[in-house]
Amino acid sequence: MFKVKTRINPEMKVLSMILAGSFIIMAILSPSHFLRLETFQGMAFQLPELGLLSLAMMISMLTGGINLSIIATANISSITAALILTSYINPEIASSGDGMVILLAILAALTVSVLVGLFNGILISIVNIPPILATLGTMKLLQGLAFIITRGYVISGMPDFVRFIGNGTVIGIPMPLILFAIFAWLMAFYLNHTATGFNIFLFGSNSVATFFSGVNNTKVIIQTYMLSGLYCGVAALIMMSRFNSAKAGYGESYLLVTILAAVLGGVKSEGGFGEVTGLILSLVILQIISNGLNLLGVSSFLTVAFWGLIMIAAMIIHFLARRNSQNRISLEKKN
C-alpha cells in the first residue's frame, strides 16, 4: 500500500491552528451572536476590500518595501469614478448610454490607480527615495488632492449596476467575495508562475545579486508598484459600491490592518518571502477577531490597540522562528 506524504508549511499550520482557536473562543464567548448566518454573511462582504488592499500591501513588502499610499490611492480612484458616474448618469432614469459611462468610470479609476503606482515606482527605483518616504509623500499628496476635489463632501448616488458590485450576490455568494477570490488567485499565479513574480521574490531576498544576475531592478520595482496600485483600484470600486459613495477619508483605519495581515500571514518585512494563502488565512483570523470583539461590545480604540499588540507578537514570533532555524542549520553543519 502506498502512503501519500504531504508537507505542510509550518507557518500555514500555525495560522490554521490560530484560525481554529479564534473561531472556538469567539463561539464560546458569544454563541448566540457569533454563530449566526448573518455574522458570516457580513464578514463575507467586509473581507474583500480589506483583502485586496492587503494584497496591494503584500506585493510591495515582498520587494522589501512598503506602500503607505494604498488607502489614498483607493480613495482618489473611487472619487474619479464617482465624479464621472454622478455627472453623466441619473440613478432615477435609466439610459442606453449608462453602460458605456460605467465602463468609462471603471477604466478611469483603474488607470488613476495604476498611474499612482507608476509614480511610486519611479520615485523608488529611479529617484532612489526609500519606499516608506516615497509612498508617505504620495499618500499626503493624494489626501490633499482628494480633499481639494471633493471639498470634504461625500459624492453619493451610484447606479444599480455599480451598487451590485459591492452588495449583490451570485447564487448566494457575495459578488465582492467572488471578485476577491479571482484577484487573489491571479496574484498567486503571477507571483508563482511568471518570470516577474520570481524576480520580485529574488529582489526582496537580495537586490544586488538580482542585479548581477541580469535582472532589470528598476523594471521590477515599477511593475510591482503598478500592480499594487491596480489592486487599490479594484478595492476602490468595491468600497465605492458598498458605501454607495466616495469620500476623501474612507478606509483610513485599514492601513495598519493591511500591514498586520501581511506580517501575520508570513510576509517578511525585509522582503523575499510570503504567500497569498498565508495572507488569506490571516485576513480570516483578523475578521473573526474583529467581529467577535465588536459583538462582545469591546471599544473600537481597544481593538486598534489589540491589532498593534498582535503585529508586535507576530514579528517577535517570526524573529524567534528565524533564529531557531539558523541555529538548527548551524548545528547540522557542525555535525
Side-chain angles (χ1 to χ4, degrees), residues 21-66:
S22 305
F23 186 89
I24 292 169
I25 289 171
M26 292 304 168
I28 292 172
L29 291 176
S30 181
S32 59
H33 293 96
F34 184 73
L35 297 175
R36 292 172 58 189
L37 181 61
E38 291 80 6
T39 303
F40 297 105
Q41 284 178 333
M43 288 168 60
F45 277 104
Q46 292 166 9
L47 188 142
E49 62 199 42
L50 180 60
L52 288 162
L53 290 169
S54 299
L55 287 169
M57 179 63 76
M58 173 191 172
I59 193 168
S60 64
M61 290 178 69
L62 288 176
T63 61
I66 194 167

Side-chain angles (χ1 to χ4, degrees), residues 25 121 126 187 310:
I25 289 171
I126 296 177
M187 177 68 83
I310 291 177

Side-chain angles (χ1 to χ4, degrees), residues 119-198:
F119 182 63
N120 278 330
I122 289 172
L123 289 179
I124 294 165
S125 62
I126 296 177
V127 189
N128 284 325
I129 299 175
I132 191 169
L133 296 179
T135 56
L136 178 65
T138 304
M139 178 182 78
K140 303 312 289 183
L141 172 66
L142 295 177
Q143 284 177 340
L145 286 174
F147 274 105
I148 290 170
I149 294 169
T150 63
R151 299 179 182 178
Y153 293 112
V154 174
I155 305 171
S156 60
M158 302 300 143
D160 289 343
F161 177 77
V162 173
R163 290 204 298 272
F164 176 79
I165 294 173
N167 301 289
T169 60
V170 177
I171 54 171
I173 304 171
M175 188 61 194
L177 191 63
I178 294 173
L179 289 173
F180 173 64
I182 292 171
F183 280 91
W185 181 84
L186 287 173
M187 177 68 83
F189 182 84
Y190 179 79
L191 290 174
N192 298 318
H193 299 284
T194 66
T196 309
F198 176 78

Side-chain angles (χ1 to χ4, degrees), residues 3-19:
K3 291 184 178 180
V4 179
K5 293 183 178 179
T6 56
R7 179 176 290 180
I8 300 174
N9 185 327
E11 291 193 347
M12 296 303 111
K13 195 183 292 182
V14 172
L15 284 172
S16 300
M17 290 169 64
I18 294 173
L19 175 60

